[in-house]
Amino acid sequence: YELMRRMCEQFRRVADCYLGDYYPLTPYSLENTSWMGWQFDRPERGTGLVQVFRRSESIYKSADLRLHGLDPEARYRVRNLDSPEGDIIPARQLMEIGVPVVLNDRPGAIVIHYEKVGP
């Protein structure tokens, strides 16, 4: 039950992000060697989420995925939902270099939430 409670709490925390703007972060593919990732952004709230999936035969453990729709002058708190800690990253870095994603498990998945924290 603890896992179910944690998953429901995570969903409640980010559910409204699914109503935001959608941006694909990787090309669409059904190949087992690929990664899939997308972003939902709520610009009016300054929040959003990124979902990334590493498929079962992917040889890559990490990726930098460039985000869209952010306020380029702002900073954002970026946090893996499975981790209590987060980093504050300038929007320009998230949009030009990307959010760093590491997935050691094959297959694996991660949900990253971000929120605007100021200029």
Side-chain angles (χ1 to χ4, degrees), residues 9-40:
E9 173 58 32
Q10 286 180 357
F11 179 75
R12 280 188 213 105
R13 196 174 321 140
V14 300
D16 68 318
C17 293
Y18 290 105
L19 301 173
D21 299 336
Y22 169 79
Y23 299 97
L25 301 177
T26 62
Y28 180 80
S29 173
L30 295 176
E31 297 296 320
N32 283 332
T33 57
S34 67
W35 281 48
M36 289 291 297
W38 45 78
Q39 171 190 2
F40 293 96

Side-chain angles (χ1 to χ4, degrees), residues 8-100:
C8 287
E9 173 58 32
Q10 286 180 357
F11 179 75
R12 280 188 213 105
R13 196 174 321 140
V14 300
D16 68 318
C17 293
Y18 290 105
L19 301 173
D21 299 336
Y22 169 79
Y23 299 97
L25 301 177
T26 62
Y28 180 80
S29 173
L30 295 176
E31 297 296 320
N32 283 332
T33 57
S34 67
W35 281 48
M36 289 291 297
W38 45 78
Q39 171 190 2
F40 293 96
D41 184 60
R42 298 290 306 259
E44 72 283 359
R45 294 185 181 192
T47 65
L49 69 88
V50 175
Q51 292 179 302
V52 183
F53 303 89
R54 179 183 181 195
R55 298 253 174 80
S56 61
E57 296 176 26
S58 173
I59 62 172
Y60 302 104
K61 291 185 178 184
S62 66
D64 293 325
L65 301 174
R66 288 186 272 174
L67 301 187
H68 304 272
L70 306 181
D71 174 355
E73 303 303 320
R75 294 176 303 129
Y76 288 80
R77 177 175 291 114
V78 178
R79 185 170 83 82
N80 173 350
L81 286 187
D82 289 330
S83 173
E85 301 167 11
D87 295 315
I88 296 184
I89 304 174
R92 287 197 192 279
Q93 180 179 335
L94 293 170
M95 295 187 320
E96 294 171 8
I97 298 171
V99 62

